[in-house]
Amino acid sequence: MTAINTLTLNRPDRGNALSADLVEHLLTNFQAAVADPATSGIVITGEGRNFCTGFDLSTLDTSSDGDLLLRFVRIEMLLDAVWRSPVPVTAVAQGRVWGAGADLFAASDHRVLTADANLRFPGAGFGLVLGTRRLACLVGAHRARLLTCEGQTLDAKDALACGLATQVLPAGSDISEALGTVSTPAIEDRSTLAALRRASLNEASRTREADLAELVQSAARPGLKQRIEAYRARQTQARVASPQTKEQP
């Protein structure tokens, strides 16, 4: 018997922002699902109004540069596990799909958005290189630079047009409707499926060491916490000017 495993980000009061505990919980459960021979697919969803608003800043004041570096490394390990999964991964996202949450969405095979979703990759705002190689594989190098370096925001329609999303649900739909359409792969043999999926990764995305090295090099530069604090201050000022805007990296 095959099964679709669903993993849900469940911190709706924090916009499902990625705390250290949530990342570890996701990674542990994702690895367990992949290791289960009965698993034919994995679905990642977010509870509440937003899929994921990014990196959780609630413990920033008590974190050191080293603490933050480790957290980003663990996020990269989660993203890499999703990207290289031997079984298909479907992300179904609503509302804000921002920062590391957008990277998680982009690392998935099937990327479904509700009509109200919007995506943003603001990590470059504090000097972080996270997920850029994977993003470029989906949307091309030029569009990836615009999204990361210029902080462009995509709505669901634009995300579909550029290949970042594979499906957009009709207006008024909710994620439960997408879950009913998730199917098992036609190939049942896990080793064959895993080999085909490895072969489908193009040369620019095969080296996990390069992705991790780029992240560590950017995050290990002295002053990571200071850069994030400065970024948070800029976002606070932006929220004062536009109270409807709220963002996590």
Side-chain angles (χ1 to χ4, degrees):
M1 179 179 294
T2 60
I4 301 293
N5 283 269
T6 300
L7 305 179
T8 301
L9 285 67
N10 193 15
R11 300 183 72 217
D13 58 320
R14 290 289 304 170
N16 295 321
L18 294 177
S19 65
D21 287 345
L22 179 55
V23 171
E24 294 304 319
H25 180 78
L26 281 172
L27 184 55
T28 298
N29 284 275
F30 188 89
Q31 291 170 333
V34 168
D36 184 350
T39 299
S40 59
I42 299 172
V43 178
I44 302 175
T45 66
E47 184 69 25
R49 295 175 56 190
N50 302 302
F51 175 69
C52 179
T53 54
F55 188 80
D56 183 24
L57 297 177
S58 62
T59 61
L60 180 61
D61 292 343
T62 58
S63 298
S64 66
D65 278 9
D67 296 330
L68 295 167
L69 173 58
L70 176 59
R71 287 183 60 191
F72 284 121
V73 167
R74 296 300 286 173
I75 289 174
E76 169 57 33
M77 294 179 71
L78 170 64
L79 299 176
D80 186 76
V82 172
W83 179 252
R84 299 175 195 281
S85 170
V87 297
V89 181
T90 300
V92 184
Q94 74 283 6
R96 293 167 181 159
V97 189
W98 289 1
D103 292 313
L104 179 60
F105 181 81
S108 304
D109 299 283
H110 308 291
R111 301 171 299 279
V112 183
L113 294 174
T114 59
D116 70 331
N118 62 89
L119 301 95
R120 191 179 301 178
F121 298 84
F126 49 88
L128 193 71
V129 178
L130 177 66
T132 306
R133 189 190 307 270
R134 289 180 290 267
L135 180 62
C137 287
L138 297 179
V139 304
H142 177 69
R143 192 61 181 265
R145 284 195 297 270
L146 294 177
L147 290 170
T148 56
C149 298
E150 298 186 11
Q152 289 188 347
T153 299
L154 288 180
D155 61 20
K157 181 180 178 181
D158 288 339
L160 181 64
C162 74
L164 183 49
T166 57
Q167 180 183 352
V168 174
L169 299 175
S173 304
D174 58 38
I175 60 174
S176 63
E177 296 180 45
L179 297 182
T181 67
V182 176
S183 60
T184 58
I187 300 173
E188 294 185 1
D189 181 70
R190 285 283 296 269
S191 61
T192 301
L193 180 61
L196 287 170
R197 290 171 61 76
R198 285 194 301 270
S200 70
L201 295 176
N202 63 38
E203 291 297 330
S205 66
R206 285 187 177 180
T207 307
R208 60 167 56 97
E209 290 81 6
D211 291 330
L212 185 58
E214 288 175 353
L215 166 67
V216 171
Q217 184 175 3
S218 64
R221 185 161 52 91
L224 174 60
K225 179 177 179 178
Q226 185 178 19
R227 293 194 298 276
I228 296 176
E229 288 174 332
Y231 173 87
R232 182 168 65 174
R234 292 195 299 271
Q235 298 310 311
T236 299
Q237 292 175 349
R239 286 196 296 272
V240 171
S242 179
Q244 294 182 348
T245 300
K246 186 177 183 180
E247 180 173 337
Q248 301 285 348

